[in-house]
Amino acid sequence: MYCNQCEQTTRGDVCHQWGACGKSPEVNGLQDLLVHCLRGLSQVALQAKSLGIDTREADEFTMEMLFSTMTNVNFDPVDFVAFVNRAIALRESLKLQIQVTGNVVVESAIATFQPAGEPKQQIEQGRELEFEFIGQSAKNVDIFSLKLTVLYGLKGLAAYAFHASELGQHDRDLDRFFHEVLANLDAVDKTLPEWLDLALKVGEMNLKAMALLDAGNTETFGHPTPTLVPLGTTVGKAILVSGHDLRDLKAILEQTAGTGIKVYTHGELLPAHGYRKLKQTYPHLYGHYGTAWQNQTHDFDRFPGAIVMTTNCLMPPHESYKDRVFTLGPVGYPGLKHTSIREISPIIQTAQELPGFEEECDRGTVTVGFARNTVLSVADTVIDGVKQGKIRHFFLVGGCDGAKPGRNYYTELVEKIPDDCIVMTLGCGKFRFFDKHLGEIAGIPRLLDMGQCNDAYSAIQVAVALANAFGVNVNQLPLSLVLSWYEQKAIAVLLTLLYLGIQNIRIGPTLPAFLTPNVVKILSEKFNLKLIATPEQDLAACLG
């Protein structure tokens, strides 16, 4: 196998024998085969679109399938065999509709490709296609690097677009963009600057997807407001919901109302407590349990109830809790029970059969809900604080967390940030310091939890509003971005920030292994993108 799409790659290079995430070579091969089939489907879908044929089913399938190949989403080879077959069925259905119009169907090799009939043969096909793709790009490793950047960013974009679509937010330009990128991923006539432009275009479209998701979340659940969230537990039966999907959480809350079951969030669902229509409508949404995704084996083992994984961040489960984990949507793992939000009775039954929590446990609280509406409502106080010298600097410290050594940097950085600075955070990177009490400046908390990774959109809106208020551009604000990355959504967000022209971003704990030294040099020269150093060095540079 050849996989370098996440930060945890073996020796910081590429996973050859087995995925560091737990992905098997067989699943890797099937994922590569699926992407190949999606590329063929996209070529046909584009032709169908040009003829006015409805391609909505293929559009949504393509989004969800790209999402399914992201790190820590789906580890089940049976699922991917079904996904491959579905991709071909959709492609052939569109071909028939094109033929009805009297047009000749696109007949490229990729649009006529047929997967083997047996799973073992499909796995081998995937491996062959993977190395063929690598071989085609071997003549120019920098272009190959940017091709991977585009593909991995597209996967992150697909995740956000998928969540937005679930909430009724669609965009035809996004649908077409997915197909256009996939259909032309093997292009050999693009120059290095053109591939860089395409990577930044992924960032532009990701901004649109995050805006759609923001609209879906706020229109459905209301704007987040500052909310105290218990980190302890209360007596009673319990369900733990992990991942990112607010729609799935709402469905679970609806169907557990009146059952006596308490619902806890885990990982990136912590910000869900800030949405008034969730917290006020469903009082059995009790609190937050555990910390970041990479600690789930410890957290899940101790949780005495049913556990639900709604999106990415699933780790290979331990036998001690495997029988009480359920998956939803594109998430899958061999042996885990998969269900849908329309039928969660097995989850409820499991929760009722398990002991639940038998005593109260107070572990304190954290405050969430500092999204753009809340922050901008005190913009005048913030601006006055800066002008009066009470607020010296803003730090955005967040992103995707991971288990690899070196991530204590973010904890140490926040601990060392001076008392006259405000720390904004989002994503699961916050769990390195989310429970620290940093005090206030002029009545404003120094630590502002702005939400999930997709709420980078909210942070961008705050930065733009402050820049406008001060009559400067964002790069002239007393603002430093110090980001951690792990998977493909973080790459999509990074591309969005670069598309917006944001300079001086510090990223860590390592640079993406798929970026060649020359591509890193280009990004450094164009955007001053740099690798984190030590907390002391970076603070001195940011505040100097």
Side-chain angles (χ1 to χ4, degrees):
M1 64 183 288
Y2 180 99
C3 185
N4 62 358
Q5 67 178 7
C6 84
E7 196 269 336
Q8 309 282 267
T9 51
T10 307
R11 298 186 304 278
D13 180 14
V14 63
C15 292
H16 289 292
Q17 303 297 325
W18 196 275
C21 63
K23 179 171 64 174
S24 70
E26 290 75 21
V27 168
N28 187 73
L30 289 169
Q31 288 183 351
D32 287 327
L33 179 62
L34 175 60
V35 171
H36 186 81
C37 293
L38 292 177
R39 290 165 58 195
L41 171 60
S42 288
Q43 288 189 358
V44 177
L46 287 173
Q47 184 182 13
K49 283 179 181 294
S50 71
L51 298 170
I53 296 171
D54 183 8
T55 62
R56 174 57 64 85
E57 188 176 3
D59 298 342
E60 295 189 350
F61 176 80
T62 299
M63 272 192 308
E64 185 174 2
M65 290 304 97
L66 283 172
F67 185 11
S68 75
T69 67
M70 269 181 48
T71 304
N72 293 93
V73 177
N74 196 314
F75 299 82
D76 195 339
V78 174
D79 284 352
F80 283 104
V81 169
F83 296 159
V84 165
N85 293 336
R86 180 64 178 153
I88 299 302
L90 283 171
R91 187 192 72 190
E92 295 306 304
S93 174
L94 287 177
K95 284 184 178 181
L96 288 175
Q97 295 177 65
I98 291 170
Q99 289 171 347
V100 167
T101 68
N103 287 272
V104 177
V105 180
V106 59
E107 293 292 341
S108 67
I110 200 169
T112 56
F113 172 82
Q114 290 295 332
E118 297 296 324
K120 287 185 179 179
Q121 295 172 320
Q122 288 188 359
I123 292 167
E124 190 55 40
Q125 277 184 316
R127 288 171 176 161
E128 291 172 358
L129 290 166
E130 174 184 61
F131 289 112
E132 179 183 320
F133 180 65
I134 295 170
Q136 288 173 347
S137 307
K139 294 178 181 178
N140 191 318
V141 293
D142 295 326
I143 284 180
F144 181 53
S145 171
L146 286 173
K147 276 190 180 185
L148 293 179
T149 303
V150 167
L151 177 59
Y152 299 159
L154 197 71
K155 291 184 179 187
L157 163 58
Y160 294 143
F162 172 77
H163 290 312
S165 176
E166 284 186 316
L167 295 170
Q169 299 289 330
H170 303 280
D171 187 277
R172 291 182 179 178
D173 290 341
L174 272 177
D175 294 339
R176 178 174 290 277
F177 183 71
F178 283 117
H179 293 309
E180 287 176 343
V181 173
L182 288 171
N184 296 286
L185 198 60
D186 58 352
V188 295
D189 56 346
K190 287 184 184 294
T191 64
L192 190 64
E194 288 174 326
W195 279 106
L196 179 58
D197 287 345
L198 182 56
L200 297 179
K201 183 69 176 180
V202 173
E204 178 185 359
M205 300 306 283
N206 188 60
L207 180 64
K208 178 175 287 193
M210 290 194 297
L212 287 172
L213 181 51
D214 179 87
N217 284 337
T218 54
E219 290 174 13
T220 305
F221 309 112
H223 283 280
T225 57
T227 305
L228 276 176
V229 184
L231 297 178
T233 58
T234 189
V235 174
K237 306 292 186 178
I239 292 175
L240 184 65
V241 188
S242 189
H244 302 74
D245 201 305
L246 296 179
R247 185 199 67 158
D248 288 356
L249 176 62
K250 178 177 181 288
I252 292 169
L253 289 168
E254 284 177 339
Q255 295 176 62
T256 52
T259 64
I261 295 172
K262 299 294 185 184
V263 176
Y264 296 78
T265 57
H266 180 269
E268 281 226 59
L269 275 174
L270 168 62
H273 295 269
Y275 288 92
R276 288 173 293 128
K277 290 184 182 178
L278 283 177
K279 192 68 174 177
Q280 294 177 4
T281 306
Y282 307 105
H284 60 299
L285 175 59
Y286 179 74
H288 189 77
Y289 185 89
T291 55
W293 70 271
Q294 75 273 9
N295 300 320
Q296 69 186 248
T297 52
H298 176 263
D299 294 340
F300 290 2
D301 182 66
R302 295 182 301 124
F303 190 79
I307 301 163
V308 185
M309 291 300 305
T310 66
T311 59
N312 57 306
C313 300
L314 172 67
M315 295 177 69
H318 287 189
E319 291 298 325
S320 61
Y321 61 81
K322 187 175 181 179
D323 61 342
R324 46 195 167 94
V325 179
F326 295 81
T327 60
L328 295 175
V331 187
Y333 194 90
L336 294 188
K337 296 177 282 288
H338 189 83
T339 187
S340 74
I341 60 172
R342 292 182 296 276
E343 182 51 67
I344 70 159
S345 55
I347 301 172
I348 295 174
Q349 181 180 345
T350 298
Q352 290 172 332
E353 292 171 350
L354 291 164
F357 290 103
E358 298 176 348
E359 59 183 26
E360 302 279 338
C361 180
D362 184 357
R363 292 192 174 91
T365 61
V366 295
T367 304
V368 301
F370 293 100
R372 70 180 188 282
N373 267 32
T374 295
V375 176
L376 293 179
S377 71
V378 295
D380 290 343
T381 303
V382 173
I383 292 166
D384 288 343
V386 173
K387 290 180 177 179
Q388 295 171 19
K390 294 178 181 178
I391 301 174
R392 179 170 32 152
H393 205 81
F394 299 88
F395 287 87
L396 177 60
V397 185
C400 296
D401 202 10
K404 205 171 183 178
R407 292 182 178 269
N408 286 338
Y409 162 94
Y410 298 93
T411 308
E412 295 173 13
L413 178 74
V414 170
E415 289 175 341
K416 295 177 188 299
I417 289 175
D419 292 344
D420 57 357
C421 299
I422 286 178
V423 180
M424 301 179 291
T425 187
L426 47 80
C428 60
K430 71 167 70 74
F431 289 108
R432 295 285 171 176
F433 48 82
F434 80 124
D435 55 354
K436 295 189 178 298
H437 301 286
L438 302 184
E440 297 182 345
I441 302 177
I444 300 171
R446 287 191 55 234
L447 181 60
L448 303 176
D449 185 342
M450 303 193 77
Q452 297 181 339
C453 52
N454 50 281
D455 289 311
Y457 175 78
S458 196
I460 289 167
Q461 299 309 306
V462 169
V464 170
L466 290 176
N468 289 339
F470 284 111
V472 298
N473 65 49
V474 172
N475 290 317
Q476 294 171 309
L477 285 172
L479 168 67
S480 296
L481 280 67
V482 188
L483 308 178
S484 59
W485 82 281
Y486 172 72
E487 39 87 335
Q488 296 79 65
K489 286 187 292 184
I491 295 303
V493 172
L494 176 62
L495 292 175
T496 295
L497 296 173
L498 298 181
Y499 156 72
L500 291 170
I502 307 298
Q503 300 277 329
N504 305 311
I505 299 171
R506 286 172 166 80
I507 187 171
T510 63
L511 290 172
F514 53 83
L515 295 182
T516 60
N518 191 45
V519 171
V520 171
K521 181 173 179 288
I522 292 170
L523 295 177
S524 177
E525 291 174 349
K526 189 175 179 67
F527 301 103
N528 203 25
L529 180 70
K530 61 190 71 176
L531 182 65
I532 58 173
T534 66
E536 295 80 6
Q537 289 173 315
D538 288 340
L539 277 174
C542 293
L543 297 172

